[in-house]
Amino acid sequence: MALVRTPVPPADRKYSAGAFDWRFQTEIKVRFTSAPSHVTTKAIWNAFQREGNIVYIELYQDGNGKLDGSGTVRFCPPPSHDFWKQGRFAASFPPDAHVHTLRLKLLQPEPRKFRAPLNGRIYPEKIVVPAKSLTFGYMHGPMAMQTMYTVNAIQNAQIKVVQDLNYRTIDIHFPLQTNAQKASSYRIRLSHASKLVIFQPSSLIPPHRKRIVMSLDTPPELAIKQDGSATHQKEARRWGENDQWYRHGNIMAANSDIRDPSTSPTSLNVSDAAINIGRWTTYSLEISEHEPKAFDWFCDALRDFNIPVRQAPTFEYSGEVVQPVWTVIDRPILTEQAHSDSLAELMDHTATPLDFEVRYQLEVCISEGRLNEYTISRSFVERLRKLERTMAIDLLESVSAHETRFYDPMAIFNLKELQRKKSKKNRLPNYCTIVRSAVVTPSTIYFSSPTIEISNRVVRQYTNHSNHFLRVRFSDEKPKGRLYAARNNTMTHVYQRIKETLTNGISIGDRHYEFLAFGNSQLREHGAYFYNPIPHVTTDRIRAWMGDFEDIPQVAKYAARLGQCFSTTRAIHGARAQLEELPDVMSANGKYNFTDGVGRISKALAALAATEMGTVTHDGEPPSVLQFRLGGCKGVLAVWPQRNEYLRIHVRPSQYKFHAQYEGLEVIRWSQLSAAHLNQQIIAVLSTLGVKDEIFIQEMRSQLSSLAEAMGNEKTALGMLQKEVDHNQQSLVLAAMVSDGFQSARDPFMMSVLKLWRAWNIKYLKEKAKIVVSQGAVLLGCTDEAQVLKGHFDRLQPSSTSPSERELFKSTPEVFVQLSKGVNDKPQVVEGFMLLARNPSLHPGDIRVVRGVNKPELRHLRDVVVLPQTGDRDIASMCSGGDLDGDDYVVIWNRDLLPRTWNHPPMDFTPPPSVKKRSGVTIDDITSFFVEYMKNDSLPAIACAHRAQADYSDEGVMSPKCIELARLHSQAVDFPKSGQSAKMNQALQPRKFPHWMGRRPEKSYKSSKVLGKLYDEVELVDFEPDYSPAFDSRILSRSQDLGGHVLSTVGEIKQRYDDAVRRIMSQHAIKTEFEVWSTFVIEHIKRDSEYKFHETIGQLSTALKEAFRDECIERAGGRDMAKLGPFVTAMYFVTHEEVALANERWKRQRCSASDAQARGETMPMMSFPWLFPTILGRLAVGELDKDTLDTTISTAEPSRDTSKQALAHKQLTPVDDALQTEEGVTHRGQVLEMFTGKTPHQISNTGKLIDFGNDEAPIPPNSAAENGTAGSAARCLPIRSGQPGMGQKPEGEDRLQDLEQNAGQEDVARRDLPQRKTGRLWHGLSKMHD
C-alpha cells in the first residue's frame, strides 16, 4: 500500500506560482503520445505500473470519437524517479507485443485548493495521516467506547487516514489477514454528510501519543483493494483508482463453524463476522508520532469544514468481552458436533424467546440504533416479557420513533409511555393494511415499525395472515440511499448479498421470510415482497393462487405478471357486472395499437365505484377514467354512457395479461385535474425546437414573485393553490383553509404549511426547473370511442419547413380536453393548438403539437385527454413510447410555449424482443433477473448523460449523442419487461457537466443555456415551522364546555397519531410532521424517483389520515355535527395546550428563538386536529347548520349531500358481485378466462375495415345493441345518444375548424370504404372524421 505523506505547510499557507518541484507534490500527471490507436487502459497500466502507484488513466479521442493514441497517467504519490525526463518511453502493447516508443511530458497541474467555509483557510485536496492501530467498536456511553477488534499496522502495509476535501470524505485504509494468505488492503469510507461525531481523547495514554475517535450512527462503505491489472473494462477510456476498490458488506471470520454465509438467511444477528461493519460503527485510531503536524492539520480541517472535534479528557475505553442479546433470546445455531454436547442442550433451555411482535419491534429499535444489542441484558429481556404484550409493543414503537439513543436500555422503562392506558388498536379503512418493512444494505438490515399502507389483492386475499408479509428493499448504506448500477465489477459482492437474501430469505426470531414476488414499480425501487410460510399457506401456493403464468416463457414478463397482483388498489364490493370483450383498434400495418390498455365501463358501475371510494366530483359525477385491475386484466376503463345503465365493463385483448382468479373490480386511481409543470427535459426539448429563453425565464420569475406574495396576500395564495394543484391534491386542502380565514388568523399550523409549500416549490424550481404552467394540466389518457377525432396521417405532414396555416390545420392531430373546473368553476373544453407530452421527454419528437377540438360526442369525459383512434400511428406511442394503460400526459395550451419546429419525426419505440427461456421459468430465474436488473439499471445514468450532453452541444437534444441516449433511455425503460438492458458506452458519458447539475467544480462548467439561466434565477429558502403565532381564537372560544373525558380521549388518540407520524418520518428520514401531512417533502432517503416518492408519501399520508379520522368519528359517536364538532374542537384545544406549554418551556430555557432546529425537535406535533380541515373551517366561520359532514373527501371542497349517490349505491348493489361473461357467470375465487380460442378483432383506421366475418360486423347506431340487447360481446360498440349524426357537423364550431374542413376536405374527410365480406357497414362511416 502506497503511503501518501501530506506536505505540511503552516495552516494559513497560500500556494505560490514559483518553480514547480514534482517531488513535493501530492500527485503528478504525465502525458503520453504516439501510442497505438487500439491501446487500452489496461495496456497503459501494465506499461507504467512499475514506475509508481497509478491512480488515474485517461485515453484521449479525436473529434470523431476515435482514440488518437494519446492520454494522461496520474501518480499518487509521485514516483521515486523522473522516468519522463528523457521524453521517451519504450513499451510493448498487445496483441502483437510490438515495442512502441511513447513521447512523454510532465504536466504542471494547477494546485487543488479548497477554502474552508468558516474562516477562509486554504487546504490541499487530500490530507493524509499515518496511524499505528485501528480499533473497531461501538459507543456504550456518551464518552465511552466498547472495543471489539483491533488492527495493527504491519510492515509494507500501513494504516492511514485520508481526508478528501473534494469529495468531503474520510477514508481509513488498513491491512487485514483473515486467512493464511497475505494481508489484503481494506478501506472504510466515512462521509462528512453523515452524522459524524469526532472525539480527541487525552486520557489513559501518554501525552506524546495521540488518538482520535470517529463515531457514526450508520455504517460506512467497506471496500477491498484488488489487483489493478484485473480491474479494467475492455472498452473503457478512463480508469481510476476507485476501480480497484470492490465493495463488501462485512469482514467474515475465516472457517466459521456457526453457519455458511452463502446459504444462511439474512439477519440482524451476524455472529460469524470477524469485524461487524454494520454494527461496530465507532473507530479509534492511534496516530503515528512521526506525523504530529499532519494530524493537527487534519483536525483543523475538520473543524474548519464544520465537523466538530470534541476534546474528551474523560473518554473511556472498555475491552471487556460482551455478548449480544441474541445469546439471550435466540436458541443457538448448533453444528453437528455441538448437537451431542450436553452444555449446548443446557444453553438451548436457557434461551428467553420473545413474542414475535415484541421481538420484531425490539429489532426495529436495535437496527435503527435506538438500542444496542451488546448493552441489552437478560434482566432487560425479562422485564420486557413481563409487560403486557401491547404495552411492550407500544413502548418499543415509541422508542423507535424518537431520535434518541438509549445507552442504558433499562431507561426506557421510565418513559411516560408506560403510564398510558392500554393501546386501542387502530381501525383501518377497508382498503388499508398494516405492513412491516425492511431495508437490506451491504452491511446490515434495518427494520421499520409497522405502518399503514394501501393494500393489494394478495394481502387482501390472505388478510388473516397479513402480518406474515414483509416488504423488503435493497439499498446502499445510509444516508447514501439508492444502489446505482456500476459500470464495472466493483459491486459484485453487494449483488451477491442481494441474491443470497432473495434465495435464503430473512430471519427474524423464529420466523423465516421467503421471497414471494415483486411488481414493476417495486422492481424500479429495488424492492420485493417476502412471506413467512405457514402450513397450507406457502409462497408457492400464494403464487399459484395469483394466476396461471406457465405459458409465459420470458422471465422478465413472468415476473411482471406476478407483480401485477401487488398493485396498490381499492377493492370495489357488490358490483355484479357484465364483462364483455371488445376488439383492439390497430393501424393498417398492424404495428400500432390505438386502444392499447384502455377499455370501457358503464356510467352506473363507475358511479358505484366512485361512491364507495368517496371520489365523486364536485358536481356529483363519477371520474371519467379509472385505472383498474380485474383478474388478469389491467389498464384503464373510460366511462362510456349507454341508454340502458347496466353494470358493464368492456375489456380489450391488450388489457388481458394472464388467467387469474376473479376477486372483484379493483381501482388503483382515477382521473383528476393536476397542474402542468415544465421540467429540465421538456425545457431542453422545447428550447432546441425554438422556444426562446425569455419565455421560460418570465414564467419562472412570475412564479417566484407569486410565491413570495402569497405568504402575506390571501387572494394570491388562494389563486395559486387552486390553480397549481399537486399530484396528491393537497393544494386544494390548503386553499380551503385559506378561504376559511386561517391565514388571516395566522394559525401556526396554517402558516407553517404555507411556508413549507413555498420552500418545496422553490426547491423544485431550483433543482428540477419545475415551472408551473397555468394554461396546462396533467391528465390521464383515454381513447376516442366515438371515432370523431382526426389522427396522425403521414401523407398529410407538411413538406416545407415553413408550413402555412392551412397545412398546419390539415396535418395536426385532434384531441379532446375538457376541464371539470374552468372559467367560473364550470366545465371548459380547451380548443386550439396545444402541446402533448409524457415525462420524461428526451427525443425532439416526444413533444407533439395537437389541436384541441370541441366534440359533443365526448363531452361526458372530463379531466382526461382523449386521443384519436384514427391515423397511421397512435399519438400515445409518439409521446415517449406511451400507451393508454394509465399513463399521465402533460397538456399545455400556452401559445408562448409552442415551438417553431412542430412535430419532429417521432422515435421508433418498438422494444427489443424479449429473452425467452426454453424450459419453464423458476423462482431462481426471477430472483436472478432481479439482481441483473439492479446491476444493469442504467436509466438514471442515461437520463443524467442526456441532460449534460444536450446542454453541452450546440445542437441540443438533436445532437447524435442525445438521439442515441434517447434510444437507450427507451430501451432502459423497457428493461423490466423485455429483460434486455441498455448499455451506455463511455463515449456517451459526459466529460463535463453544466453548473446547474451540481457536480464538483473541476467537473463543471458555467452553462449559458436556458437551464443555466433558470438555475441562477432561484435562491433556495429554508423551511422553518412557525410555532409562535397564537392558535385561532374562533375555535378556542368553543372549548369552554369541553368535558374531561373527551379531552382525555382526544389526548390518548393524539399520542398514537403522533407516534404513527414519527414512524413514517423515521422510515423515510423526513424531518417534520408538516411534510408528512402535506406530502410536500423537502428531504428524504433517495431510494425512489421524486415523482414516485411523492406518490408513495401521498398514499401513506392518506391512509394514515383516514385511519385516525375513522377512529375519531367512532369515538365521537358519529358524523353528526352535534357530536363530531365538539370532538374536533377538543382536538384543536389539546394541541393548543401542548404547544403553549412547550413554548413557555422554550422561553424559560432559551432567551432567543434563533435555533429553529433545536426548537423543532422539542416541540409537540400540531397536525392532529387537521385530520378534519373542513370541520375546523366550518367551526371557524360559524357554518354549523348542517347535521352531518362528509369527512371522507380528501380535497377541500365544501361538504355535499351525498344522499343521491348513497341511494344509487343502495339500488345498484346486488347480493353477489359476480361477473357475467360469454362463457357464463364467474364468481369470486374462480379463474377468469377471456379471449380464449379467438383471434383479437382488429379495426384499421386508414379508411378501410378489416374483415370481421359474416357474423361479427359492427352494429350500426339505432340497432338492438343500442338498446342493450346485443347477444355477442364482439358487437358491443359505443352508444351515443342525443348526438349529431356521424357525418353531421356539430354546432358551435369556430372559424378555425371551418378552415380545417375546407383545407383538408379532399384528403381527410373522404374515405373510400369497399364493402368486402362485411355484410353490414355503418351508414355514413366514410364521413366519420369530418
Side-chain angles (χ1 to χ4, degrees), residues 613-615 1106 1109-1110 1113 1119 1189-1195:
M613 296 185 298
T615 59
E1106 294 203 12
R1109 187 183 293 132
D1110 288 347
I1113 292 171
R1119 291 175 177 267
L1189 290 175
D1190 181 8
T1191 58
T1192 64
I1193 301 170
S1194 58
T1195 65

Side-chain angles (χ1 to χ4, degrees), residues 1243-1293:
I1243 304 176
S1244 170
N1245 288 314
T1246 59
K1248 300 179 181 179
L1249 287 181
I1250 290 182
D1251 185 10
F1252 281 83
N1254 290 332
D1255 297 324
E1256 306 228 68
I1259 298 179
N1262 304 317
S1263 67
E1266 191 168 328
N1267 296 318
T1269 58
S1272 170
R1275 295 178 182 143
C1276 291
L1277 291 165
I1279 306 300
R1280 296 179 296 278
S1281 58
Q1283 69 178 43
M1286 303 224 32
Q1288 179 182 346
K1289 178 178 172 60
E1291 296 181 2
E1293 297 284 357

Side-chain angles (χ1 to χ4, degrees), residues 110-173:
E110 191 72 24
R112 303 286 294 280
K113 300 177 292 182
F114 291 85
R115 187 180 299 275
L118 294 183
N119 55 21
R121 187 175 294 174
I122 301 297
Y123 290 93
E125 177 183 6
K126 295 181 180 179
I127 303 174
V128 184
V129 180
K132 298 176 66 175
S133 67
L134 166 65
T135 299
F136 294 83
Y138 60 89
M139 298 295 291
H140 69 92
M143 289 284 184
M145 176 182 178
Q146 173 68 47
T147 61
M148 301 297 290
Y149 195 96
T150 298
V151 178
N152 294 305
I154 57 179
Q155 189 176 7
N156 299 323
Q158 303 288 332
I159 298 174
K160 64 177 180 179
V161 189
V162 182
Q163 184 176 183
D164 190 321
L165 296 177
N166 183 21
Y167 288 93
R168 300 292 199 272
T169 58
I170 299 173
D171 290 347
I172 303 176
H173 298 251

Side-chain angles (χ1 to χ4, degrees), residues 41-270:
T41 59
K42 181 177 181 179
I44 294 297
W45 192 91
N46 287 329
F48 287 98
Q49 58 92 18
R50 66 180 181 271
E51 304 298 338
N53 186 55
I54 301 173
V55 295
Y56 191 76
I57 297 171
E58 182 169 4
L59 307 179
Y60 293 162
Q61 58 190 23
D62 59 22
N64 296 320
K66 296 182 179 180
L67 296 178
D68 62 6
S70 64
T72 55
V73 183
R74 279 170 29 200
F75 295 85
C76 181
S80 58
H81 68 288
D82 51 354
F83 67 90
W84 58 86
K85 188 174 182 179
Q86 300 302 321
R88 297 185 179 185
F89 188 85
S92 61
F93 299 106
D96 54 10
H98 181 70
V99 177
H100 294 258
T101 301
L102 307 184
R103 294 186 178 276
L104 304 183
K105 180 182 179 181
L106 177 64
L107 301 179
Q108 182 173 341
E110 191 72 24
R112 303 286 294 280
K113 300 177 292 182
F114 291 85
R115 187 180 299 275
L118 294 183
N119 55 21
R121 187 175 294 174
I122 301 297
Y123 290 93
E125 177 183 6
K126 295 181 180 179
I127 303 174
V128 184
V129 180
K132 298 176 66 175
S133 67
L134 166 65
T135 299
F136 294 83
Y138 60 89
M139 298 295 291
H140 69 92
M143 289 284 184
M145 176 182 178
Q146 173 68 47
T147 61
M148 301 297 290
Y149 195 96
T150 298
V151 178
N152 294 305
I154 57 179
Q155 189 176 7
N156 299 323
Q158 303 288 332
I159 298 174
K160 64 177 180 179
V161 189
V162 182
Q163 184 176 183
D164 190 321
L165 296 177
N166 183 21
Y167 288 93
R168 300 292 199 272
T169 58
I170 299 173
D171 290 347
I172 303 176
H173 298 251
F174 61 97
L176 193 65
Q177 188 170 352
T178 55
N179 293 311
Q181 305 170 358
K182 72 173 186 176
S184 299
S185 296
Y186 288 78
R187 181 191 73 191
I188 56 174
R189 171 163 288 177
L190 291 64
S191 170
H192 281 198
S194 60
K195 294 182 179 179
L196 179 62
V197 180
I198 300 181
F199 303 95
Q200 193 170 347
S202 56
S203 61
L204 305 179
I205 58 174
H208 67 277
R209 296 171 62 183
K210 296 184 177 181
R211 284 184 182 270
I212 189 170
V213 177
M214 305 182 189
S215 183
L216 294 169
D217 63 347
T218 56
E221 296 179 19
L222 172 70
I224 302 178
K225 193 172 186 179
Q226 306 295 318
D227 176 28
S229 64
T231 59
H232 296 262
Q233 301 296 304
K234 185 176 180 180
E235 302 296 330
R237 303 188 179 189
R238 292 182 291 276
W239 176 92
E241 184 184 27
N242 279 334
D243 293 332
Q244 289 183 269
W245 290 98
Y246 279 41
R247 289 281 303 277
H248 280 249
N250 280 305
I251 302 175
M252 308 307 294
N255 303 319
S256 171
D257 60 352
I258 300 177
R259 63 174 189 169
D260 179 2
S262 65
T263 59
S264 300
T266 297
S267 171
L268 198 56
N269 177 13
V270 190

Side-chain angles (χ1 to χ4, degrees), residues 425-537:
K425 189 174 181 180
N426 292 336
R427 178 180 177 181
L428 298 178
N430 57 12
Y431 61 88
C432 293
T433 187
I434 297 291
V435 176
R436 294 186 174 89
S437 59
V439 177
V440 178
T441 71
S443 66
T444 188
I445 182 170
Y446 298 91
F447 298 105
S448 295
S449 296
T451 54
I452 302 172
E453 294 186 8
I454 298 176
S455 64
N456 56 62
R457 179 187 305 176
V458 179
V459 174
R460 280 194 297 270
Q461 173 67 20
Y462 297 95
T463 185
N464 292 333
H465 312 295
S466 61
N467 63 349
H468 288 258
F469 289 93
L470 184 70
R471 284 193 65 170
V472 179
R473 189 178 305 208
F474 298 92
S475 174
D476 209 333
E477 306 293 0
K478 291 182 179 179
K480 197 170 182 179
R482 183 181 177 88
L483 271 170
Y484 290 96
R487 60 181 176 84
N488 47 32
N489 298 319
T490 57
M491 300 292 287
T492 298
H493 290 276
V494 174
Y495 294 128
Q496 180 181 335
R497 170 173 166 82
I498 294 170
K499 174 61 177 175
E500 289 171 356
T501 302
L502 292 167
T503 302
N504 305 325
I506 294 174
S507 175
I508 308 174
D510 59 355
R511 288 194 180 184
H512 177 244
Y513 289 87
E514 300 175 357
F515 167 80
L516 179 60
F518 53 83
N520 186 35
S521 61
Q522 289 175 311
L523 177 62
R524 295 192 188 280
E525 302 165 21
H526 302 167
Y529 265 96
F530 281 52
Y531 178 78
N532 171 57
I534 57 177
H536 310 301
V537 185

Side-chain angles (χ1 to χ4, degrees), residues 499 502 518-520 523 554-560 915 921-937 974-981:
K499 174 61 177 175
L502 292 167
F518 53 83
N520 186 35
L523 177 62
Q554 303 96 335
V555 176
K557 186 173 289 187
Y558 191 108
V915 179
V921 176
T922 65
I923 294 303
D924 183 65
D925 294 329
I926 293 174
T927 57
S928 294
F929 170 70
F930 184 97
V931 177
E932 284 302 309
Y933 176 82
M934 291 189 66
K935 289 170 65 175
N936 298 286
D937 178 18
D974 287 325
F975 183 15
K977 295 180 182 178
S978 69
Q980 302 251 8
S981 62

